[in-house]
Amino acid sequence: DAMVIQNPRYQVTQFGKPVTLSCSQTLNHNVMYWYQQKSSQAPKLLFHYYDKDFNNEADTPDNFQSRRPNTSFCFLDIRSPGLGDAAMYLCATSRVWGRNNSPLHFGNGTRLTVT
Amino acid sequence: SQQGEEDPQALSIQEGENATMNCSYKTSINNLQWYRQNSGRGLVHLILIRSNEREKHSGRLRVTLDTSKKSSSLLITASRAADTASYFCATLHYNTDKLIFGTGTRLQVFP
């Protein structure tokens, strides 16, 4: 089945120690997104790629970076995780961007714990 | 903030009852979408309603949209224990083409 896969499901890292979360998709969608979701809150968009075109949200901290080496894979790098970065990180894809009414397909997320 | 708000924050019902969740938003939109999230999992798309539509059905789901009031509702009929989840509305904003999620409603359906 075509899907969005996130690895690992759970990640523990130490304060200040760089960590990378990965996402892959078999849907061949053009757009990939990273959302941050803290407990009982709405998912918050960090950035998205339209093909290779990177789009950062204005309020996404510089501590967060992303790479998309090809259509199928996208990575979230947190350079120096703080305690406030503990959250569920959700990867999503869509066939196109914006007003073409293309719904998002989400992975099951990676829950990041910072100790 | 462009974020939508959902009401109620939490809802508990018995199996077989209907569940209604409401979403309000602040800016002009292209469409509004509803997603479900089971505990500890990703979001699953349920239904999309365009800004020029007023009502849409999908199985046991019924969504309405009132753009003059900037509000939407999701009705789940004949609820089941498996419907227990958090439900989020998300609005595709007209000016930015960004999908912004609301605060969610936690639904608990008791057998």
Side-chain angles (χ1 to χ4, degrees), chain B residues 51-103:
Chain B
S51 60
N52 61 354
E53 296 176 315
R54 292 296 167 258
E55 189 169 311
K56 207 160 183 182
H57 296 81
S58 176
R60 293 184 296 113
L61 305 181
R62 174 178 168 255
V63 169
T64 62
L65 178 63
D66 187 335
T67 52
S68 66
K69 295 181 179 177
K70 291 187 168 58
S71 68
S72 174
S73 68
L74 171 67
L75 169 67
I76 304 174
T77 60
S79 64
R80 304 166 182 168
D83 294 329
T84 295
S86 290
Y87 291 82
F88 292 89
C89 70
T91 47
L92 187 68
H93 285 252
Y94 184 83
N95 289 330
T96 65
D97 281 347
K98 291 181 183 175
L99 192 66
I100 306 295
F101 284 84
T103 50

Side-chain angles (χ1 to χ4, degrees), chain B residues 2-86:
Chain B
Q2 295 179 323
Q3 187 178 76
E5 292 186 5
E6 293 181 60
D7 168 57
Q9 286 189 331
L11 179 61
S12 294
I13 58 175
Q14 295 290 131
E15 256 187 334
E17 293 180 340
N18 295 340
T20 299
M21 290 159 265
N22 302 297
C23 170
S24 61
Y25 57 92
K26 297 177 183 176
T27 64
S28 296
I29 63 171
N30 286 307
N31 67 53
L32 186 144
Q33 304 175 33
W34 285 90
Y35 289 79
R36 184 184 78 195
Q37 185 178 34
N38 288 74
S39 181
R41 312 290 280 189
L43 284 77
V44 175
H45 179 260
L46 295 175
I47 196 165
L48 181 153
I49 185 165
R50 295 180 175 83
S51 60
N52 61 354
E53 296 176 315
R54 292 296 167 258
E55 189 169 311
K56 207 160 183 182
H57 296 81
S58 176
R60 293 184 296 113
L61 305 181
R62 174 178 168 255
V63 169
T64 62
L65 178 63
D66 187 335
T67 52
S68 66
K69 295 181 179 177
K70 291 187 168 58
S71 68
S72 174
S73 68
L74 171 67
L75 169 67
I76 304 174
T77 60
S79 64
R80 304 166 182 168
D83 294 329
T84 295
S86 290

Side-chain angles (χ1 to χ4, degrees), chain A residues 8-114:
Chain A
R9 289 277 285 127
Y10 302 93
Q11 176 73 56
V12 180
T13 191
Q14 292 177 337
F15 183 94
K17 185 175 180 181
V19 66
T20 295
L21 309 182
S22 72
C23 177
S24 64
Q25 56 132 341
T26 60
L27 296 160
N28 204 31
H29 282 174
N30 292 314
V31 191
M32 294 188 78
Y33 309 78
W34 281 103
Y35 281 85
Q36 179 194 62
Q37 186 181 27
K38 296 189 177 180
S39 183
S40 301
Q41 294 185 21
K44 179 179 177 295
L45 181 63
L46 296 174
F47 24 60
H48 76 273
Y49 275 93
Y50 195 145
D51 292 330
K52 288 189 175 294
D53 184 22
F54 176 71
N55 298 271
N56 198 32
E57 291 302 297
D59 58 354
T60 297
D62 292 340
N63 199 24
F64 290 83
Q65 303 287 322
S66 184
R67 296 170 283 135
R68 189 179 184 186
N70 54 52
T71 301
S72 301
F73 287 87
C74 196
F75 300 98
L76 171 61
D77 301 308
I78 309 177
R79 291 192 298 190
S80 181
L83 297 178
D85 296 327
M88 174 78 92
Y89 289 88
L90 295 163
C91 173
T93 71
S94 65
R95 190 174 53 81
V96 292
W97 166 254
R99 62 186 65 192
N100 289 294
N101 297 313
S102 179
L104 269 59
H105 298 254
F106 281 85
N108 276 324
T110 293
R111 183 166 295 284
L112 178 68
T113 300
V114 182

